[in-house]
C-alpha cells in the first residue's frame, strides 16, 4: 500500500501481490520488492504519480531462478542492484548485478561477501557497500566501477558487534539507523516510543 506522507487520505494498494517493499531507485521512479508469498524472488515496478495517485506498472521479475533472493538495494546511481541470495548454497551471500539487465541477458554478476551476508546498504559518501554478516558484524566492501564492470575488494569489518537486524546508513556514511530489540526484563514497559532522527536524509 501507499499513503501520503502528511497523513491525509487512506492507504491505497500499489501492488496486488503479497510484497515486502525494499528499495526505491534514486530517482524515486522504480521500486524493488520481494514476493512475500513464499517464493522469495525480487521484482521491480515503475511507480509514477497520475492524477494525484501513485500507480505501478506491471511487475517485472529481476531474476528467474530457484534460489532465495531477497534484500534488493539500488546503488546511489541507480545502475546496480545489490541483493542477498542462496545461489551458492544454503547460506545467503551478497551479490551485485547491473540494473536494468542488459538486453543480451542478465549481464555480469559479482559476489561481494564470502562468509555469508544479508541487508546490503550502499554508502552515498564513499564507494562502499555494507552488509550484515552472520556473526553479527557489519562489513564494508570497497568497490570501483569501470564501464560495465563492477570490481569489489575484500570486505573489512565496519562495526565489530551489532545486535540488530536491518539497518540503514546516514548520508555522511559514518552513522547507522538501527533496529535493536530491547532485551532488558527489568525495563518499564512503554506504551508508545518515538525516535526522531533529524536531517537523516
Amino acid at each position: 500500500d501507499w499513503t501520503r506522507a502528511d497523513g491525509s487520505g487512506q492507504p491505497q494498494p500499489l501492488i496486488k501481490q503479497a510484497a515486502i517493499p525494499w528499495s526505491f531507485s534514486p530517482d524515486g521512479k522504480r521500486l524493488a520488492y520481494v514476493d512475500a508469498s513464499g517464493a522469495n524472488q525480487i521484482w521491480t515496478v515503475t511507480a509514477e504519480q497520475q492524477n494525484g495517485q501513485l500507480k505501478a506498472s506491471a511487475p517485472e521479475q529481476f531474476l528467474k531462478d530457484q534460489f532465495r533472493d531477497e534484500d534488493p538495494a539500488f546503488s546511489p546511481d541507480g545502475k546496480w542492484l545489490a541483493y542477498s541470495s542462496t545461489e551458492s548454497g544454503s547460506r545467503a551471500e551478497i551479490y551485485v548485478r547491473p540494473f536494468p539487465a542488459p538486453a543480451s541477458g542478465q549481464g555480469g554478476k559479482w559476489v561481494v561477501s564470502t562468509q555469508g551476508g544479508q541487508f546490503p546498504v550502499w554508502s552515498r559518501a564513499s564507494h562502499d557497500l555494507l552488509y550484515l554478516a552472520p556473526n553479527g558484524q557489519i562489513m564494508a566492501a570497497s568497490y570501483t566501477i569501470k564501464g560495465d564492470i563492477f570490481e569489489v575488494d575484500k570486505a573489512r569489518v565496519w562495526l565489530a558487534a551489532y545486535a540488530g537486524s536491518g539497518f540503514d546508513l546516514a548520508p555522511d556514511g559514518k552513522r547507522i539507523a538501527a533496529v535493536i530489540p530491547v532485551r532488558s526484563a527489568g525495563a518499564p514497559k512503554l506504551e508508545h516510543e518515538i525516535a526522531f532522527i533529524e536531517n537523516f536524509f
Side-chain angles (χ1 to χ4, degrees), residues 22 118-119 121 132 138 162-168 176-180:
W22 211 265
Q118 289 181 291
F119 310 118
V121 176
L132 182 61
I138 294 180
Y162 177 63
S165 53
F167 67 96
D168 204 354
I176 61 171
V179 179
I180 306 283

Side-chain angles (χ1 to χ4, degrees), residues 113-197:
S113 63
T114 57
Q115 301 296 317
Q118 289 181 291
F119 310 118
V121 176
W122 299 86
S123 173
R124 287 174 276 172
S126 63
H127 277 205
D128 286 320
L129 179 59
L130 283 69
Y131 63 89
L132 182 61
N135 62 3
Q137 294 179 327
I138 294 180
M139 307 295 289
S142 297
Y143 66 88
T144 55
I145 297 170
K146 297 178 181 177
D148 57 356
I149 302 298
F150 185 90
E151 296 181 353
V152 62
D153 295 338
K154 182 179 178 181
R156 64 192 184 279
V157 176
W158 191 85
L159 182 62
Y162 177 63
S165 53
F167 67 96
D168 204 354
L169 191 63
D172 64 6
K174 297 177 181 177
R175 298 164 291 141
I176 61 171
V179 179
I180 306 283
V182 177
R183 293 192 173 98
S184 174
K189 183 178 179 181
L190 300 177
E191 291 298 324
H192 301 284
E193 183 174 356
I194 298 173
F196 179 75
I197 303 173

Side-chain angles (χ1 to χ4, degrees), residues 52-90:
Q53 302 288 315
L54 195 62
K55 301 291 182 182
S57 64
E60 299 174 24
Q61 192 170 356
F62 178 62
L63 296 174
K64 295 182 180 178
D65 59 32
Q66 71 275 23
F67 308 114
R68 187 181 183 98
D69 301 327
E70 299 178 308
D71 312 328
F74 283 105
S75 62
D77 62 4
K79 296 179 180 179
W80 305 88
L81 194 71
Y83 62 99
S84 67
S85 176
T86 57
E87 178 177 343
S88 61
S90 60

